[in-house]
Amino acid sequence: MPADRLMPTPESADLIALTRELVDDKLRPCVDEAERTATFPRDVFTLLGRAGLLGLPYPEELGGGGQPYEVYLQVVEEIASAWAAVGVGVSVHALSCFGLFEAGTDEQRQRWLPDMLGGDLLGAYCLSEAHAGSDPAAMRTKAVRQGDDYVITGAKAWTTHGGQADFYKVMARTSDEKGRGISCFLVPADAEGLTADVPEQKMGLMSSTTATMLFDGVRVPAERRLGAEGQGLAVALAGLDAGRLGIAAVAVGVAQGALDAAVAYAKEREAFGRAIIDHQGLGFLLADMAAAVDSARATYLHAARLKDAGRPYGRAASVAKLVATDNAMKVTTDAVQVLGGAGYTKDFPVERYMRETKVMQIFEGTNQIQRLVISRHLK
């Protein structure tokens, strides 16, 4: 059953209703085939863009939806409850727009953001490298100034939408000053010398293309640098706080989907003359799953409300990402257990939910990194 939401305004309640209608009519009928064939659902992102759901947390005057994070994240959760790969994609797209919105000039925002937020252009985010994941300051991809251009050389690993996106927010080294020597660039997908390596063969999120992006002397006009030289890592880390909330919402959506599937099965499947949900052992397991979903949702909503109020929310974002993804891993694993042997087959979606959730404990900062962030805040 759908999550019981207390939305801040009637308009936001209507937005959730619209999202649920789109999810039921357009996403659920397609997800199984797209995941089976590893087909990237570009048409779905276009549809969401046309419906105004790709740029929700950005101002209306720039083509966004003008919605608070509290609302935007609940829309992401609703999408992810049916199709995790698309939920992740919406979060990544919002993150790929963050650098331009936060560090770009008014001219840059007016020039590029409307198409990015309106769904005409799909974004990707290039921060990690094969040897620089949890420690982005160790990146080696370089951007060398040559006249009015920068020339970017290197490789960016684990790029969601790699080879499918229309633009890439790229962090590259412009000096040897470790963390202070990184700058941010908005690189169009058709830039000469920019190619995608063979997509990764993943455990889950099959319809979400993940690839290493190769920069072979990619020439980018200096007007596409976002912010000052050396500001890139600060922009990236600020964006990650918001991105972690997006992944928390995705994880809660997948957990909710797993809970719903487990409850539906437990109400229909009988053992020893009664529905298995009526057996205390199963009933209590489902109760724990429901509590895990509800508590995880509360953590990301708390962090979102801090962000919307303009208050520091970095620690709360890490708590939300940690709790939501760890809880989702347990809930999806338990959902497989509730369905028993059936849960281990592809006849039911719970095995897919379990596979999809695992990476959520890893990307946007591993959960070990979240614990490090939280402990530093405590110190």
Side-chain angles (χ1 to χ4, degrees):
M1 60 184 294
D4 185 16
R5 302 191 183 282
L6 183 62
M7 303 305 294
T9 64
E11 291 77 15
S12 61
D14 291 341
L15 186 59
I16 290 293
L18 167 67
T19 303
R20 286 176 174 169
E21 182 179 350
L22 281 175
V23 164
D24 289 339
D25 293 347
K26 303 297 183 182
L27 272 64
R28 291 191 196 278
C30 304
V31 58
D32 288 339
E33 180 66 12
E35 287 295 316
R36 185 183 69 80
T37 59
T39 301
F40 184 74
R42 181 54 188 265
D43 58 332
V44 171
F45 288 105
T46 301
L47 173 69
L48 295 177
R50 296 288 183 269
L53 301 183
L54 280 188
L56 284 176
Y58 293 98
E60 291 180 274
E61 59 268 24
L62 292 172
Q67 293 296 316
Y69 249 70
E70 174 186 0
V71 173
Y72 156 67
L73 292 176
Q74 293 186 79
V75 168
V76 171
E77 184 197 325
E78 289 286 344
I79 292 169
S81 70
W83 197 338
V86 175
V88 168
V90 172
S91 178
V92 167
H93 178 76
L95 179 60
S96 70
C97 298
F98 180 87
L100 176 56
F101 178 71
E102 288 293 325
T105 65
D106 287 341
E107 180 185 1
Q108 287 173 322
R109 293 192 195 101
Q110 293 291 342
R111 182 176 177 182
W112 292 309
L113 263 180
D115 286 342
M116 291 161 62
L117 299 179
D120 291 327
L121 302 177
L122 185 66
Y125 179 77
C126 296
L127 175 63
S128 294
E129 298 180 5
H131 55 277
S134 295
D135 180 14
M139 71 175 61
R140 298 172 187 166
T141 295
K142 289 186 176 181
V144 178
R145 184 72 182 253
Q146 292 185 2
D148 293 331
D149 298 330
Y150 285 88
V151 178
I152 303 178
T153 304
K156 289 293 180 178
W158 309 114
T159 304
T160 301
H161 302 163
Q164 301 287 350
D166 300 297
F167 67 91
Y168 296 84
K169 187 173 84 170
V170 179
M171 306 300 162
R173 182 164 296 288
T174 47
S175 82
D176 292 331
E177 284 187 85
K178 205 171 182 185
R180 297 182 180 180
I182 295 166
S183 301
C184 180
F185 300 89
L186 187 67
V187 181
D190 59 1
E192 187 174 353
L194 176 59
T195 57
D197 206 347
V198 177
E200 305 290 346
Q201 298 297 306
K202 308 191 300 290
M203 177 190 292
L205 301 177
M206 303 305 198
S207 63
S208 176
T209 304
T210 306
T212 294
M213 298 304 298
L214 307 174
F215 295 80
D216 184 11
V218 176
R219 189 171 291 273
V220 179
E223 65 180 7
R224 282 184 168 269
R225 188 190 71 219
L226 305 178
E229 273 200 7
Q231 190 182 351
L233 189 58
V235 171
L237 295 179
L240 282 178
D241 281 340
R244 285 164 181 163
L245 293 185
I247 296 307
V250 170
V252 173
V254 178
Q256 182 70 60
L259 173 64
D260 292 343
V263 169
Y265 185 86
K267 289 162 66 175
E268 295 293 330
R269 179 79 160 88
E270 290 189 357
F272 306 104
R274 54 180 175 163
I276 62 174
I277 197 171
D278 292 326
H279 293 275
Q280 190 177 87
L282 244 296
F284 280 15
L285 178 61
L286 291 166
D288 285 343
M289 293 163 65
V293 173
D294 288 356
S295 59
R297 181 178 294 117
T299 63
Y300 87 64
L301 286 175
H302 170 66
R305 288 163 183 156
L306 288 176
K307 177 174 169 41
D308 290 333
R311 294 173 57 179
Y313 71 100
R315 171 185 163 183
S318 286
V319 169
K321 198 270 185 182
L322 170 66
V323 170
T325 59
D326 278 356
N327 282 13
M329 192 71 249
K330 185 175 190 315
V331 168
T332 55
T333 303
D334 286 345
V336 173
Q337 190 71 22
V338 170
L339 271 67
Y344 197 67
T345 72
K346 294 184 184 297
D347 295 336
F348 294 87
V350 291
E351 59 84 27
R352 170 164 61 83
Y353 298 153
M354 186 175 73
R355 288 186 287 106
E356 290 171 335
T357 303
K358 183 61 212 174
V359 75
M360 297 175 198
Q361 296 177 299
I362 298 170
F363 59 18
E364 299 285 357
T366 67
N367 283 5
Q368 286 68 38
I369 289 294
Q370 304 316 313
R371 290 176 171 89
L372 179 62
V373 171
I374 295 164
S375 68
R376 285 176 174 173
H377 277 280
L378 295 175
K379 181 179 176 181

